Amino acid sequence: EPEVTQTPSHQVTQMGQEVILRCVPISNHLYFYWYRQILGQKVEFLVSFYNNEISEKSEIFDDQFSVERPDGSNFTLKIRSTKLEDSAMYFCASTEDAGANVLTFGAGSRLTVL
Amino acid sequence: GNSVTQMEGPVTLSEEAFLTINCTYTATGYPSLFWYVQYPGEGLQLLLKATKADDKGSNKGFEATYRKETTSFHLEKGSVQVSDSAVYFCALSATNKLIFGTGTLLAVQP
């Protein structure tokens, strides 16, 4: 069964460092998403991406965050200068039909900022 | 605004026990409602969904009914198995994205 692949599974970084989280969505999907979950809190929407541009972003997704689809397969989330409060599990998701809201999620990348 | 509230975990049950995980929502309009499940080491997977009031979503023995009058979408299963141990997330749709609850960890003991 097709799956969304995320790397790394766990990254530890120092505050102020740049981090790139990578995702390989399902090949025929057109809509891509990043969500995050701080430990013990809700899974929060960060950003959606379609046709090589951001469709929607939350207020969490400030200037420190960016997304990119550098080639035909990868979908990346970059955090320019990490803060302690960026420590969370980051989930990538994709779908072929945004209206149905049936997303396929990756296993997540755990980011720990020290 | 739109939000989802689900019961705190962990929920610990013995095999074959009855499961209920409560979920209530606040929404403008008429969202679709979902339960996603995350097994250890895996991504969130769609378990079931309901798109309008009084719809019942079901899958793998799990059920949830879209109750507009109580703004609820409680997840139930009549007889849980050890293999059901996972984190369960309630969610609603809002403008082409999902709004999730905090997740409820279910641990089923043999």
Side-chain angles (χ1 to χ4, degrees):
Chain A
E1 188 173 329
E3 59 181 28
V4 174
T5 306
Q6 289 187 241
T7 54
S9 56
H10 187 195
Q11 181 157 356
V12 181
T13 191
Q14 295 292 323
M15 191 168 55
Q17 295 296 303
E18 177 183 282
V19 161
I20 297 176
L21 304 179
R22 292 184 166 80
C23 171
V24 179
I26 293 174
S27 59
N28 65 331
H29 286 183
L30 301 175
Y31 301 84
F32 313 114
Y33 305 81
W34 283 100
Y35 286 78
R36 79 170 187 192
Q37 185 179 30
I38 295 171
L39 189 64
Q41 298 185 24
K42 298 188 176 191
V43 176
E44 302 170 293
F45 168 78
L46 291 180
V47 65
S48 59
F49 191 88
Y50 170 71
N51 201 26
N52 282 321
E53 59 183 30
I54 291 173
S55 308
E56 186 176 351
K57 59 183 181 179
S58 70
E59 56 192 33
I60 302 168
F61 195 90
D62 62 21
D63 291 345
Q64 291 300 309
F65 291 88
S66 63
V67 288
E68 197 177 36
R69 190 157 159 81
D71 53 42
S73 59
N74 288 287
F75 177 53
T76 61
L77 174 69
K78 181 192 289 187
I79 308 174
R80 268 181 259 287
S81 177
T82 49
K83 304 188 280 284
L84 296 176
E85 54 265 37
D86 293 327
S87 295
M89 180 72 88
Y90 289 82
F91 294 103
C92 174
S94 68
T95 183
E96 59 182 327
D97 177 3
N101 276 303
V102 176
L103 307 185
T104 302
F105 283 83
S109 293
R110 180 169 297 285
L111 176 64
T112 302
V113 183
L114 302 176
Chain B
N2 298 310
S3 68
V4 172
T5 302
Q6 59 182 110
M7 65 189 286
E8 298 273 337
V11 173
T12 303
L13 295 173
S14 298
E15 211 165 18
E16 298 183 3
F18 184 85
L19 168 71
T20 300
I21 300 178
N22 289 337
C23 171
T24 57
Y25 67 91
T26 303
T28 52
Y30 303 98
S32 295
L33 300 174
F34 304 80
W35 277 99
Y36 276 77
V37 58
Q38 185 181 28
Y39 299 103
E42 300 182 18
L44 283 75
Q45 305 170 24
L46 178 67
L47 179 60
L48 53 86
K49 70 174 189 176
T51 57
K52 61 183 188 299
D54 298 326
D55 265 6
K56 179 187 281 188
S58 61
N59 185 25
K60 299 182 182 179
F62 291 89
E63 293 182 339
T65 301
Y66 190 141
R67 301 279 187 210
K68 189 168 155 230
E69 64 277 12
T70 54
T71 62
S72 65
F73 193 57
H74 304 322
L75 182 69
E76 296 182 335
K77 186 175 185 183
S79 176
V80 293
Q81 305 300 311
V82 172
S83 57
D84 293 326
S85 297
V87 181
Y88 292 81
F89 294 88
C90 185
L92 64 82
S93 62
T95 59
N96 293 331
K97 65 179 182 289
L98 293 172
I99 308 292
F100 285 93
T102 53
T104 302
L105 173 64
L106 170 66
V108 181
Q109 298 174 337

